[in-house]
Amino acid sequence: MKISENPTFENRYDGGVRLADKLKAYKGRSDVIVLAIPNGGVPVAAPVAFALECPLDFVICRKLPIPLRPEGGFGAVADDGSYILYPEMVRAFGITEEQADQQVHKVRQDVRERILRFRAGRPMPVLNGKTIIVIDDGLASGYTMLAAIESLRRRRPKEIIAAAPTASAPAVKLLEKTADKVVSVVTDFTPSFYVSRYYHFWHNMEDDETMRCI
């Protein structure tokens, strides 16, 4: 577990409580559904759904890890198998078409396995005509959220809001082109952005912990 100095949030749950205040205009609306991106988005989304008095579900979406540097990503794969590449990262790390294809194949398999584990055969709720609030614990490049939004658009919701306790300015700019609204408690305009910097207590969540939250 990492402990940050001068954080904005105590932990992910606290981030969710603070984020819920930014989303209070959606409270009590029967057309609103909160969708969390596992793993880190789940403990953020839980207090948001509670505060807004709306259903909580999740959308599986995984980043494409950079070869030999898996902590970074060069794109993301959504729950329907579609994927998005981050061109700047592909160029910066010299990722070949073959390497990209290999990572997409592996991550697609991971997404399928996680859908089976987390949903256990339960289908995605009907999103046609709904207002969807998609939540993660932070938006660094924004590409994981972008992949989720583009896959959700195909389910014909009325509105999609991308939300996170903290986000980089470039991620917000990217997502504003696709989401109907982008909401964050803190937007970071510095050149170097790390989601973990904003949380006093931070750790990479395992699937078992996510299941307990669900």
Tab-separated table of all heavy atoms in Angstrom, residues 9-19 40 42-48 50 199:
chain	number	residue	atom	x	y	z
A	9	PHE	N	-7.769	12.980	-1.308
A	9	PHE	CA	-8.734	12.018	-0.792
A	9	PHE	C	-8.054	11.040	0.163
A	9	PHE	O	-6.895	10.680	-0.031
A	9	PHE	CB	-9.371	11.234	-1.953
A	9	PHE	CG	-9.836	12.107	-3.081
A	9	PHE	CD1	-9.161	12.106	-4.296
A	9	PHE	CD2	-10.931	12.940	-2.929
A	9	PHE	CE1	-9.574	12.907	-5.335
A	9	PHE	CE2	-11.346	13.755	-3.960
A	9	PHE	CZ	-10.662	13.751	-5.172
A	10	GLU	N	-8.812	10.598	1.165
A	10	GLU	CA	-8.276	9.611	2.099
A	10	GLU	C	-8.075	8.268	1.390
A	10	GLU	O	-7.042	7.630	1.519
A	10	GLU	CB	-9.215	9.454	3.286
A	10	GLU	CG	-8.683	8.565	4.392
A	10	GLU	CD	-7.532	9.199	5.167
A	10	GLU	OE1	-7.223	10.386	4.943
A	10	GLU	OE2	-6.933	8.488	5.989
A	11	ASN	N	-9.082	7.845	0.654
A	11	ASN	CA	-9.037	6.574	-0.077
A	11	ASN	C	-10.067	6.647	-1.206
A	11	ASN	O	-10.678	7.698	-1.440
A	11	ASN	CB	-9.305	5.390	0.857
A	11	ASN	CG	-10.559	5.589	1.688
A	11	ASN	OD1	-11.528	6.217	1.237
A	11	ASN	ND2	-10.575	5.064	2.902
A	12	ARG	N	-10.278	5.553	-1.911
A	12	ARG	CA	-11.216	5.559	-3.033
A	12	ARG	C	-12.642	5.846	-2.574
A	12	ARG	O	-13.400	6.538	-3.257
A	12	ARG	CB	-11.150	4.217	-3.777
A	12	ARG	CG	-9.878	4.019	-4.603
A	12	ARG	CD	-9.925	2.670	-5.294
A	12	ARG	NE	-8.822	2.453	-6.221
A	12	ARG	CZ	-7.692	1.835	-5.917
A	12	ARG	NH1	-7.503	1.375	-4.664
A	12	ARG	NH2	-6.745	1.669	-6.834
A	13	TYR	N	-13.027	5.296	-1.419
A	13	TYR	CA	-14.383	5.529	-0.927
A	13	TYR	C	-14.592	7.018	-0.666
A	13	TYR	O	-15.627	7.588	-1.034
A	13	TYR	CB	-14.626	4.717	0.349
A	13	TYR	CG	-16.034	4.850	0.885
A	13	TYR	CD1	-17.054	4.014	0.421
A	13	TYR	CD2	-16.359	5.815	1.825
A	13	TYR	CE1	-18.344	4.141	0.896
A	13	TYR	CE2	-17.644	5.957	2.302
A	13	TYR	CZ	-18.636	5.114	1.833
A	13	TYR	OH	-19.923	5.248	2.297
A	14	ASP	N	-13.614	7.647	-0.049
A	14	ASP	CA	-13.703	9.090	0.208
A	14	ASP	C	-13.791	9.856	-1.110
A	14	ASP	O	-14.547	10.831	-1.231
A	14	ASP	CB	-12.484	9.554	1.006
A	14	ASP	CG	-12.498	11.046	1.297
A	14	ASP	OD1	-13.552	11.564	1.725
A	14	ASP	OD2	-11.468	11.709	1.080
A	15	GLY	N	-13.027	9.410	-2.109
A	15	GLY	CA	-13.113	10.033	-3.425
A	15	GLY	C	-14.516	9.936	-3.994
A	15	GLY	O	-15.023	10.875	-4.614
A	16	GLY	N	-15.163	8.790	-3.771
A	16	GLY	CA	-16.530	8.601	-4.239
A	16	GLY	C	-17.520	9.505	-3.532
A	16	GLY	O	-18.450	10.048	-4.155
A	17	VAL	N	-17.338	9.679	-2.235
A	17	VAL	CA	-18.221	10.569	-1.468
A	17	VAL	C	-18.109	12.005	-1.993
A	17	VAL	O	-19.115	12.699	-2.183
A	17	VAL	CB	-17.865	10.521	0.029
A	17	VAL	CG1	-18.612	11.606	0.807
A	17	VAL	CG2	-18.185	9.143	0.605
A	18	ARG	N	-16.889	12.426	-2.257
A	18	ARG	CA	-16.659	13.785	-2.780
A	18	ARG	C	-17.197	13.926	-4.203
A	18	ARG	O	-17.727	14.965	-4.584
A	18	ARG	CB	-15.157	14.096	-2.742
A	18	ARG	CG	-14.534	14.032	-1.352
A	18	ARG	CD	-14.672	15.334	-0.611
A	18	ARG	NE	-13.941	16.384	-1.292
A	18	ARG	CZ	-12.618	16.589	-1.158
A	18	ARG	NH1	-11.887	15.785	-0.372
A	18	ARG	NH2	-12.034	17.579	-1.789
A	19	LEU	N	-17.051	12.862	-4.993
A	19	LEU	CA	-17.549	12.887	-6.367
A	19	LEU	C	-19.073	12.939	-6.390
A	19	LEU	O	-19.672	13.617	-7.244
A	19	LEU	CB	-17.051	11.650	-7.122
A	19	LEU	CG	-17.420	11.542	-8.601
A	19	LEU	CD1	-16.860	12.713	-9.407
A	19	LEU	CD2	-16.914	10.212	-9.169
A	40	GLY	N	-10.544	-0.468	-9.657
A	40	GLY	CA	-10.512	0.717	-8.811
A	40	GLY	C	-11.755	1.564	-8.827
A	40	GLY	O	-12.029	2.288	-7.862
A	42	VAL	N	-14.840	0.571	-8.625
A	42	VAL	CA	-15.956	0.010	-7.857
A	42	VAL	C	-16.129	0.682	-6.493
A	42	VAL	O	-17.229	1.123	-6.154
A	42	VAL	CB	-15.820	-1.515	-7.725
A	42	VAL	CG1	-16.915	-2.084	-6.818
A	42	VAL	CG2	-15.892	-2.172	-9.100
A	43	PRO	N	-15.068	0.802	-5.647
A	43	PRO	CA	-15.271	1.469	-4.354
A	43	PRO	C	-15.542	2.963	-4.479
A	43	PRO	O	-16.044	3.578	-3.538
A	43	PRO	CB	-13.962	1.195	-3.601
A	43	PRO	CG	-12.960	0.907	-4.658
A	43	PRO	CD	-13.705	0.254	-5.768
A	44	VAL	N	-15.219	3.562	-5.611
A	44	VAL	CA	-15.575	4.965	-5.853
A	44	VAL	C	-17.052	5.061	-6.208
A	44	VAL	O	-17.782	5.929	-5.719
A	44	VAL	CB	-14.726	5.569	-6.998
A	44	VAL	CG1	-15.152	7.009	-7.273
A	44	VAL	CG2	-13.243	5.517	-6.657
A	45	ALA	N	-17.512	4.156	-7.068
A	45	ALA	CA	-18.888	4.209	-7.561
A	45	ALA	C	-19.921	3.841	-6.501
A	45	ALA	O	-21.059	4.329	-6.552
A	45	ALA	CB	-19.036	3.276	-8.764
A	46	ALA	N	-19.555	2.985	-5.537
A	46	ALA	CA	-20.529	2.528	-4.536
A	46	ALA	C	-21.151	3.687	-3.749
A	46	ALA	O	-22.378	3.785	-3.663
A	46	ALA	CB	-19.878	1.510	-3.604
A	47	PRO	N	-20.360	4.601	-3.162
A	47	PRO	CA	-20.989	5.714	-2.447
A	47	PRO	C	-21.715	6.689	-3.368
A	47	PRO	O	-22.650	7.361	-2.930
A	47	PRO	CB	-19.810	6.397	-1.738
A	47	PRO	CG	-18.601	5.972	-2.474
A	47	PRO	CD	-18.898	4.599	-2.985
A	48	VAL	N	-21.294	6.759	-4.636
A	48	VAL	CA	-22.007	7.620	-5.585
A	48	VAL	C	-23.412	7.072	-5.826
A	48	VAL	O	-24.405	7.803	-5.746
A	48	VAL	CB	-21.242	7.735	-6.923
A	48	VAL	CG1	-22.083	8.496	-7.946
A	48	VAL	CG2	-19.907	8.430	-6.726
A	50	PHE	N	-25.125	5.104	-3.942
A	50	PHE	CA	-25.889	5.211	-2.691
A	50	PHE	C	-26.430	6.628	-2.526
A	50	PHE	O	-27.603	6.828	-2.209
A	50	PHE	CB	-24.994	4.835	-1.508
A	50	PHE	CG	-25.689	4.917	-0.184
A	50	PHE	CD1	-26.533	3.890	0.231
A	50	PHE	CD2	-25.516	6.016	0.649
A	50	PHE	CE1	-27.188	3.969	1.466
A	50	PHE	CE2	-26.169	6.096	1.872
A	50	PHE	CZ	-27.014	5.066	2.276
A	199	TYR	N	-4.518	10.172	-3.539
A	199	TYR	CA	-5.090	9.341	-2.485
A	199	TYR	C	-4.062	9.116	-1.375
A	199	TYR	O	-2.935	8.715	-1.648
A	199	TYR	CB	-5.530	7.988	-3.049
A	199	TYR	CG	-6.691	8.083	-4.017
A	199	TYR	CD1	-6.482	8.276	-5.379
A	199	TYR	CD2	-8.007	7.963	-3.565
A	199	TYR	CE1	-7.544	8.360	-6.274
A	199	TYR	CE2	-9.073	8.039	-4.449
A	199	TYR	CZ	-8.836	8.244	-5.790
A	199	TYR	OH	-9.890	8.323	-6.676
